[in-house]
């Protein structure tokens, strides 16, 4: 079993998607607990990883009272970009 760029790119896409979903779940808990978990180092790390992907959509999308839809668009964009890169690499014959 050798090294494969396709597997690496796919794993990165899955990892980023998973981190955004975890962030959404944590934001629900934080909203329920009135923000007492925001000072946790792991949550700060999670926000540091995911914010660069979510922030551009927050600037574009109008704010919603009920739900922040920017993470949903970020996940969709990560999935689309991952598929495009995988298709390009497989077309070029990259292992």
């Amino acid at each position: 079993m050798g090294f494969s760029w396709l597997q690496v790119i796919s794993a990165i896409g899955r990892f980023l998607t998973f981190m955004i979903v975890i962030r959404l779940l944590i934001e629900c808990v934080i909203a329920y607990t009135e923000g007492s978990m925001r000072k946790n180092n792991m949550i700060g790390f999670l926000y540091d990883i995911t914010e660069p992907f979510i922030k551009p959509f927050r600037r574009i999308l109008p704010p919603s009272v009920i739900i922040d839809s920017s993470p949903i668009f970020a996940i969709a964009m990560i999935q689309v970009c991952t598929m495009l890169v995988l298709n390009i690499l497989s077309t070029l014959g990259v292992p």
Side-chain angles (χ1 to χ4, degrees), residues 7-79:
Q7 291 175 344
V8 171
I9 299 298
S10 181
I12 290 171
R14 285 191 312 268
F15 174 76
L16 290 173
T17 300
F18 181 71
M19 290 292 110
I20 292 174
V21 169
I22 295 298
R23 177 181 169 154
L24 286 171
L25 294 174
I26 288 174
E27 285 178 349
C28 290
V29 171
I30 289 174
Y32 182 72
T33 61
E34 299 174 7
S36 62
M37 294 175 55
R38 284 203 189 271
K39 295 179 182 175
N40 186 316
N41 287 337
M42 287 299 291
I43 294 173
F45 175 72
L46 182 66
Y47 275 61
D48 290 344
I49 290 174
T50 57
E51 189 62 24
F53 298 98
I54 295 174
K55 192 174 184 176
F57 294 102
R58 258 197 210 116
R59 290 182 190 157
I60 297 169
L61 299 170
S64 174
V65 176
I66 299 172
I67 187 170
D68 180 15
S69 58
S70 56
I72 297 166
F73 285 95
I75 289 172
M77 187 57 67
I78 288 169
Q79 294 298 313

